[in-house]
Amino acid sequence: ITPSFKAGDGVTVLDIEHIGHSRLPNYLKNKTGSIVQYWGVHHFYDTQPEGIEAPPQPIYNVRFSSDALWGRMQRATQMYMSICGKAT
């Protein structure tokens, strides 16, 4: 898999409704952060029926500012989250 993003790229988390379990916290939906690092790919076997190969998913470390997530704060901080990206 070729990564879709590189360090420094700005990305916005899509607001996609999932059926069942999702690893994506709702407070990140529609929020914009920046790619810090590409971690490689991972197969999430719990997303597929038994015996079906899980497709590889690229994983990125993404930095979000507290202001972008929760609005203006007295003390701005950063939050880092590992997020699956679109495979290409």
Side-chain angles (χ1 to χ4, degrees):
I1 290 181
T2 302
S4 298
F5 309 105
K6 63 184 181 314
D9 285 351
V11 293
T12 300
V13 178
L14 297 177
D15 184 358
I16 298 174
E17 289 298 320
H18 290 91
I19 296 173
H21 173 71
S22 171
R23 291 177 178 81
L24 179 63
N26 282 331
Y27 61 83
L28 290 180
K29 292 180 177 183
N30 295 313
K31 303 300 182 184
T32 300
S34 60
I35 300 292
V36 176
Q37 184 174 0
Y38 171 64
W39 291 117
V41 298
H42 183 75
H43 297 265
F44 292 99
Y45 289 102
D46 61 340
T47 63
Q48 300 292 101
E50 188 174 333
I52 303 295
E53 180 71 21
Q57 295 290 319
I59 309 293
Y60 300 92
N61 187 332
V62 183
R63 178 179 53 237
F64 297 90
S65 73
S66 56
D67 288 350
L69 296 177
W70 298 292
R72 188 90 172 128
M73 302 181 77
Q74 284 185 330
R75 182 173 173 223
T77 59
Q78 307 287 318
M79 186 184 92
Y80 294 80
M81 181 68 71
S82 292
I83 299 178
C84 298
K86 181 180 178 184
T88 58

